[in-house]
Amino acid sequence: MDLAYMAALPKQEFIERRTTLFERLGDNFAAIIFSASEQTRSNDTAYPFRQDSYFWYLTGFNEPDSVLVLTRQNGQNQTALFLRPNDPEMETWNGRRLGVENAPATLNVDYAFSIETLKDELPALLANVEQIYHLQDLREHNDTLMLALLPPSAKLTNLRPHLDEMRLFKSPNEIRLMQQAGQISALGHIRAMRETRPNRFEYEIESEILHEFNRFGARYPSYNSIVAGGENACILHYTENDQPLKDGDLVLIDAGCEFAMYAGDITRTFPVNGKFSQPQREIYEIVLAAQKRALELLVVGNNIQQANDEVVRIKVEGLVRLGILQGDVDELIANNAHREFYMHGLGHWLGLDVHDVGSYSNATENGDRNSKKRDRTLEVGMVLTVEPGLYISPKSNVPEQYKGIGVRIEDNILITEYGNKNLTCAVPKEIEDIERLMAER
């Protein structure tokens, strides 16, 4: 299916982002943003190139070895781009380049230079500025280069908090792309449910998911897919995906596509044979109830911590009911007894990165960069995942029928003025709906 007409942002969006950044940073400054570089896979072969998200956010330019320089002096904005020059021989081997001559008109920048002249041209662009902004602690090579080129009179400041705050709030055009990423990711999970059966290997189901992503214009996953059968689901970042799926086990699939640079991120857990056993059903229903309650709470004015506190209570009450935990619910919560079975957070920001940027804490916004709280007030335009889970290790001291069961249910939501919008609700998660879909095989 050709979705190319949807797979791009208008050029004006990148211009507006740069304009917003100019206004945020004040006057008499330079901001320097490096692109990603190609990464060696082995010997002389490279991994598929994926542009740095910050660089893409401000340029929409998908070539390696480039540098964006924004300067503002006396209220005058100037945008310069360093990039690879045209090279017919290299382009024959490795693909087309935009080239210096085409860059200003194509990317709406004021000036373009060959990347080979960076060390010669950059000092002139930085002359007389008081403040230089740079994405610190992102890549060591870039940090070293910035220190070498820094004028003695300029102060080096981290650009990341400014861009992180901008990226946290999605524009209508970004939301359009993220809706599509969510929908394509959902189609991959639906295909997985239809194609799963005992004795197929985890990697076979992974291939079904990737096939569906590709069919709808999402060439790559947004992260390494997890297809975890049985007790493998109790390994949070399991990616080996090399085991056969066993009759009577659950399979946990955490997979999302990347569409036009924006990530989807869905998890579903379902029975390999299409029917939940009673113990599986009991654990699953606890997680589902927790997720539904979280979805009710994650709205404008609330925060992730509030929702997670409710999720923890629902889980502890459920685990006590099943005899997996023993004791008073309040005391168990106070002692973090649930951490043996629920050891991660409720969710994370989503956008150009699957674990997207932006502060989770109101304290961080007020200057406390060390705050670990997730109490930031939710606002319109934020996008986040909601992914409660329970993981009962085979080694846990629990009733035998629950050992080795891992369940996670994850959706992607957009915070709106009317509540939240679930971008990934196309994938079934009610037990009856899952069993019905799998019966259609």
Side-chain angles (χ1 to χ4, degrees):
M1 180 179 292
D2 183 10
L3 293 173
Y5 73 97
M6 290 187 62
L9 291 170
K11 291 182 181 181
Q12 186 61 31
E13 181 109 356
F14 300 103
I15 297 172
E16 291 172 357
R17 290 171 178 175
R18 295 196 295 265
T19 300
T20 299
L21 185 59
F22 275 121
E23 296 302 320
R24 284 183 67 96
L25 300 182
D27 200 7
N28 201 18
F29 72 85
I32 302 173
I33 302 95
F34 292 83
S35 76
S37 298
E38 290 181 307
Q39 301 296 313
T40 300
R41 183 179 185 273
S42 65
N43 196 11
D44 59 351
T45 62
Y47 285 105
F49 178 71
R50 204 282 187 180
Q51 186 58 279
D52 174 81
S53 295
Y54 289 109
F55 184 85
W56 173 267
Y57 183 77
L58 294 172
T59 65
F61 184 46
N62 199 37
E63 289 189 21
D65 304 326
S66 305
V67 180
L68 177 69
V69 181
L70 306 177
T71 57
R72 184 171 190 170
Q73 291 180 297
N74 301 318
Q76 297 298 308
N77 300 339
Q78 179 177 285
T79 304
L81 183 70
F82 292 83
L83 69 162
R84 301 176 305 176
N86 289 119
D87 184 326
E89 181 177 358
M90 293 302 295
E91 290 179 60
T92 297
W93 285 95
N94 298 323
R96 299 178 181 88
R97 298 179 177 184
L98 177 61
V100 174
E101 294 78 9
N102 297 322
T106 303
L107 300 173
N108 298 103
V109 297
D110 299 311
Y111 302 102
F113 305 93
S114 168
I115 190 63
E116 298 164 0
T117 68
L118 178 66
K119 291 183 180 180
D120 297 324
E121 299 287 350
L122 193 56
L125 294 174
L126 302 183
N128 303 317
V129 299
E130 297 174 353
Q131 190 103 328
I132 295 179
Y133 290 92
H134 161 60
L135 298 165
Q136 295 177 5
D137 303 321
L138 200 60
R139 293 181 180 88
E140 185 177 355
H141 172 268
N142 296 343
D143 290 343
T144 302
L145 181 60
M146 285 305 306
L147 289 173
L149 297 175
L150 185 68
S153 60
K155 177 185 177 183
L156 190 62
T157 303
N158 196 354
L159 180 59
R160 291 173 73 173
H162 297 278
L163 281 177
D164 289 356
E165 186 68 11
M166 289 173 59
R167 284 175 54 184
L168 180 56
F169 295 91
K170 279 34 179 201
S171 71
N173 285 318
E174 289 181 290
I175 291 166
R176 173 173 56 86
L177 296 180
M178 295 197 70
Q179 287 177 310
Q180 195 63 28
Q183 181 66 15
I184 296 172
S185 299
L187 292 171
H189 280 262
I190 290 170
R191 184 185 182 99
M193 289 181 182
R194 287 181 169 146
E195 296 297 330
T196 294
R197 58 187 61 87
N199 300 319
R200 294 200 77 182
F201 278 80
E202 293 164 338
Y203 58 74
E204 291 184 82
I205 306 307
E206 179 184 16
S207 72
E208 299 285 357
I209 295 167
L210 297 177
H211 172 80
E212 201 73 357
F213 290 173
N214 273 254
R215 267 194 351 121
F216 292 98
R219 176 122 182 255
Y220 301 107
S222 54
Y223 53 95
N224 293 328
S225 302
I226 297 169
V227 182
E231 63 186 54
N232 293 335
C234 297
I235 303 171
L236 297 184
H237 293 155
Y238 174 83
T239 55
E240 285 85 350
N241 297 354
D242 60 359
Q243 297 300 304
L245 296 170
K246 299 176 183 178
D247 194 357
D249 279 352
L250 294 175
V251 57
L252 183 156
I253 297 179
D254 189 336
C257 78
E258 182 173 279
F259 182 76
M261 296 290 287
Y262 286 86
D265 184 5
I266 301 175
T267 306
R268 289 293 186 270
T269 310
F270 55 91
V272 171
N273 63 15
K275 284 287 184 181
F276 286 85
S277 70
Q278 186 58 31
Q280 291 167 353
R281 179 183 289 261
E282 289 168 348
I283 299 296
Y284 189 93
E285 286 176 341
I286 295 172
V287 177
L288 182 60
Q291 202 221 25
K292 287 181 176 179
R293 180 58 179 149
L295 289 170
E296 292 174 355
L297 292 171
L298 291 169
V299 296
V300 170
N302 289 347
N303 60 61
I304 296 173
Q305 188 62 53
Q306 286 174 305
N308 191 60
D309 289 345
E310 290 263 347
V311 161
V312 167
R313 179 164 293 277
I314 290 168
K315 289 182 181 181
V316 171
E317 289 173 348
L319 293 173
V320 168
R321 188 168 61 249
L322 298 181
I324 293 173
L325 286 174
Q326 292 85 35
D328 177 76
V329 169
D330 290 330
E331 287 185 11
L332 290 167
I333 293 173
N335 293 328
N336 289 320
H338 61 280
R339 296 291 292 175
E340 180 182 354
F341 309 110
Y342 174 48
M343 60 291 291
H344 59 76
L346 178 61
H348 53 80
W349 306 132
L350 189 67
L352 285 170
D353 295 313
V354 68
H355 292 139
D356 209 31
V357 296
S359 169
Y360 289 95
S361 169
N362 286 329
T364 306
E365 283 305 292
N366 295 326
D368 181 5
R369 307 304 301 175
N370 296 317
S371 176
K372 302 296 184 183
K373 294 181 180 179
R374 294 204 165 198
D375 62 354
R376 175 150 189 183
T377 303
L378 295 173
E379 299 179 58
V380 173
M382 295 175 170
V383 179
L384 64 151
T385 68
V386 189
E387 49 181 301
L390 284 173
Y391 314 92
I392 318 297
S393 168
K395 298 179 181 179
S396 294
N397 183 22
V398 302
E400 193 67 29
Q401 67 267 32
Y402 300 117
K403 291 184 177 182
I405 294 177
V407 174
R408 183 164 65 251
I409 306 170
E410 177 182 20
D411 283 300
N412 309 157
I413 63 169
L414 165 70
I415 303 300
T416 78
E417 58 186 309
Y418 306 110
N420 64 58
K421 179 178 182 180
N422 191 333
L423 305 180
T424 53
C425 60
V427 195
K429 60 185 175 185
E430 297 289 343
I431 288 176
E432 295 75 14
D433 294 336
I434 290 173
E435 292 183 340
R436 186 182 306 113
L437 175 64
M438 297 188 72
E440 295 173 0
R441 296 175 300 185

